[in-house]
């Protein structure tokens, strides 16, 4: 019976552990699914009349997490809200509580430190009084000895003075003899013997010439090497592998723009550059973008004046899974593999 009961307890413990592991795995899958498939919704409202004003809002999971950006005539700010509460206010409350705790701990430590300092000062006063009494007692007992020591010090100073006078005389005589010797050597050098300074100057000139020549050679070598590296990089930029990866990224980015394009657009814009030709070219670029993405902007051109005035409101959503899909599609392509191998080869060569 006891063995069966122990086996049943072990089985129940294992069941509980397995259930907990399954719950944790399901929670992880749920969080991953929410982050990948639940879209991030964005909404932007901008207007320019007398001043420029803009407001952007990015929310996730039915507004549980929300980020709000505002811009008003040069002044910008942002807010992060979690379950409708401002993140800055929450952090401010926690910081105040932490500061209050630190202040209380500091006040307790300061009170303890004051008590310790009072005890230490009382002990130091007692030790100072003891030292003063010992000094006075030693001064009273050693007065005759001080007189003898003073006479001895005076004799020592006199003896030192006599020695210093003799040393000064010897130094003067030795200095005069050394000056005479130096004068003789200079005269002999000027009369017929070659001087050492001329030889040192010639050697310095030779070393300078050699150093200048070495510098020129090093500069030529470095210039040739840098020119070779620049040519190699240029060939890599204009190679077929680089063109292939550029085409792949272009196609995937256009696909991404179609996925993240705004769902709703409200606009009323008056636009003009002051130059009719440049205004027409800008409108052509905007028309190409609208044709590629399937969006529509209400733009009124002004071919005579330079003006930009109106309002724009855009809203849409984007999923993380679409971004991951496009990134993986680029990284798993053969064009990216060839580009990466070629880039590693150039890195080793350089």
């Amino acid at each position: 019976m006891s063995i069966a009961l122990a086996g049943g307890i072990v089985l129940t413990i294992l069941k509980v552990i397995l259930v907990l592991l399954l719950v944790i795995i399901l929670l992880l899958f749920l969080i991953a699914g929410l982050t990948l498939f639940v879209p991030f919704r964005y909404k932007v409202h901008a207007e320019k009349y007398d001043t420029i004003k803009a407001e952007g809002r990015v929310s996730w999971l039915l507004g549980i997490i929300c980020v709000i950006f505002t811009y008003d005539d040069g002044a910008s700010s942002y807010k992060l809200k979690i379950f409708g509460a401002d993140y800055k206010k929450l952090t401010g409350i926690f910081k105040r509580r932490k500061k209050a705790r630190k202040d209380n701990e500091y006040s307790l430590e300061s009170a303890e430190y004051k008590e310790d300092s009072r005890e230490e000062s009382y002990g130091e006063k007692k030790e100072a009084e003891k030292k003063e009494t010992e000094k006075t007692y030693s001064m009273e007992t050693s007065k005759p000895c001080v007189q003898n020591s003073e006479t001895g010090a005076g004799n020592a100073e006199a003896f030192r003075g006599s020695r210093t006078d003799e040393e000064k005389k010897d130094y003067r005589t030795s200095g005069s003899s050394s000056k005479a010797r130096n004068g003789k050597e200079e005269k002999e050098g000027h009369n017929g013997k070659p001087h050492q300074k001329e030889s040192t100057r010639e050697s310095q000139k030779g070393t300078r010439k050699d150093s200048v020549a070495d510098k020129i050679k090093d500069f030529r070598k470095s210039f040739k090497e840098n020119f070779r590296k620049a040519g190699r990089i240029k060939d890599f930029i204009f190679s077929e592998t680089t063109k292939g990866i550029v085409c792949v990224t272009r196609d995937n980015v256009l696909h991404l723009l179609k996925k993240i394009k705004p769902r709703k657009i409200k606009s009323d814009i008056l636009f003009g550059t002051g130059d009719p030709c440049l205004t027409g070219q800008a409108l052509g670029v905007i028309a190409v973008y609208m044709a590629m993405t399937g969006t529509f902007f209400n733009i009124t051109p002004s071919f005579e004046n330079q003006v930009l005035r109106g309002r724009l409101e855009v809203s849409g959503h984007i999923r993380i899974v679409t971004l991951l899909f496009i990134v993986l599609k680029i990284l798993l392509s053969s064009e990216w593999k060839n580009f990466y191998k070629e880039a590693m080869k150039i890195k080793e060569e350089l």
Side-chain angles (χ1 to χ4, degrees):
M1 290 292 290
S2 61
I3 295 168
L5 194 113
I9 291 166
V10 171
L11 287 172
T12 52
I13 291 166
L14 289 172
K15 285 179 182 178
V16 171
I17 291 167
L18 289 171
V19 169
L20 288 172
L21 286 172
L22 287 171
V23 169
I24 291 165
I25 291 166
L26 288 171
L27 284 172
L28 290 173
F29 275 111
L30 181 63
I31 292 165
L34 289 172
T35 53
L36 290 173
F37 295 101
V38 174
F40 286 86
R41 300 187 180 278
Y42 63 89
K43 188 176 182 180
V44 179
H45 176 79
E47 61 180 28
K48 183 182 181 297
Y49 293 104
D50 295 330
T51 59
I52 300 172
K53 294 180 181 180
E55 183 178 358
R57 182 187 180 94
V58 179
S59 61
W60 179 69
L61 202 62
L62 301 174
I64 291 172
I65 298 171
C66 181
V67 182
I68 299 169
F69 301 93
T70 57
Y71 180 85
D72 189 1
D73 198 14
S76 60
S77 63
Y78 75 95
K79 290 180 182 180
L80 174 61
K81 291 185 176 182
I82 300 170
F83 290 100
D86 194 356
Y87 178 74
K88 288 183 179 179
K89 291 181 180 179
L90 292 173
T91 52
I93 291 165
F94 288 118
K95 284 180 181 179
R96 286 171 193 167
R97 289 181 180 177
K98 192 175 181 181
K99 190 177 179 183
R101 289 175 185 173
K102 285 184 178 180
D103 292 334
N104 292 327
E105 290 176 358
Y106 180 73
S107 62
L108 292 171
E109 288 177 357
S110 61
E112 291 175 357
Y113 178 74
K114 284 179 181 179
E115 289 179 358
D116 294 335
S117 61
R118 285 175 185 174
E119 291 176 357
E120 288 177 358
S121 62
Y122 182 70
E124 288 176 356
K125 284 180 181 179
K126 282 187 175 182
E127 288 178 358
E129 289 176 357
K130 286 180 181 179
K131 287 179 181 179
E132 286 179 358
T133 54
E134 289 175 358
K135 283 181 181 179
T136 53
Y137 180 73
S138 62
M139 289 290 287
E140 288 176 355
T141 54
S142 63
K143 279 183 181 179
C145 296
V146 171
Q147 291 176 359
N148 294 325
S149 63
E150 287 177 355
T151 55
N155 292 325
E157 288 177 357
F159 180 70
R160 286 176 187 169
S162 63
R163 285 189 67 184
T164 52
D165 294 332
E166 289 176 358
E167 289 175 356
K168 286 180 181 178
K169 288 179 182 179
D170 294 333
Y171 178 73
R172 288 173 184 173
T173 54
S174 63
S176 61
S177 62
S178 64
K179 285 181 181 178
R181 287 174 187 172
N182 292 326
K184 287 180 181 179
E185 289 175 358
E186 288 177 357
K187 286 179 181 178
E188 288 176 356
H190 285 295
N191 288 327
K193 293 181 180 179
H195 205 275
Q196 293 181 356
K197 290 184 179 178
E198 293 177 358
S199 61
T200 54
R201 287 176 184 174
E202 290 177 357
S203 63
Q204 287 177 359
K205 287 180 181 178
T207 53
R208 285 177 184 174
K209 288 179 181 179
D210 295 334
S211 64
V212 170
D214 293 335
K215 286 180 180 178
I216 291 168
K217 288 179 182 178
D218 294 335
F219 177 75
R220 289 178 67 185
K221 287 180 181 178
S222 63
F223 181 76
K224 287 180 180 178
E225 187 66 21
N226 292 326
F227 186 76
R228 184 186 68 80
K229 289 178 181 178
R232 187 75 180 88
I233 292 167
K234 183 181 176 182
D235 294 337
F236 173 69
I237 290 169
F238 292 100
S239 64
E240 294 295 327
T241 56
T242 307
K243 290 179 181 178
I245 193 64
V246 167
C247 293
V248 169
T249 52
R250 182 195 61 194
D251 296 336
N252 285 286
V253 167
L254 291 173
H255 181 67
L256 179 64
L257 289 174
K258 289 180 181 178
K259 293 289 182 180
I260 66 172
K261 68 179 182 179
R263 303 292 176 181
K264 294 180 181 179
I265 297 172
K266 294 179 181 179
S267 62
D268 186 10
I269 300 168
L270 179 64
F271 170 75
T273 61
D275 185 5
C277 181
L278 188 61
T279 303
Q281 290 175 359
L283 290 173
V285 171
I286 294 167
V288 170
Y289 174 77
M290 287 191 291
M292 289 172 64
T293 57
T295 56
F296 178 75
F297 296 98
N298 185 14
I299 298 174
T300 303
S302 177
F303 293 98
E304 295 178 357
N305 300 320
Q306 184 178 357
V307 63
L308 178 61
R309 188 172 66 246
R311 64 181 183 85
L312 177 66
E313 187 174 344
V314 175
S315 62
H317 66 269
I318 181 171
R319 290 183 176 89
I320 300 296
V321 69
T322 56
L323 294 173
L324 288 174
F325 178 74
I326 288 168
V327 171
L328 289 172
K329 193 175 178 181
I330 293 169
L331 293 176
L332 295 174
S333 63
S334 60
E335 289 83 1
W336 170 255
K337 291 177 182 178
N338 295 328
F339 177 79
Y340 183 76
K341 287 179 182 178
E342 194 69 23
M344 289 296 106
K345 286 180 182 179
I346 290 169
K347 187 178 179 181
E348 290 176 357
E349 289 177 3
L350 301 177

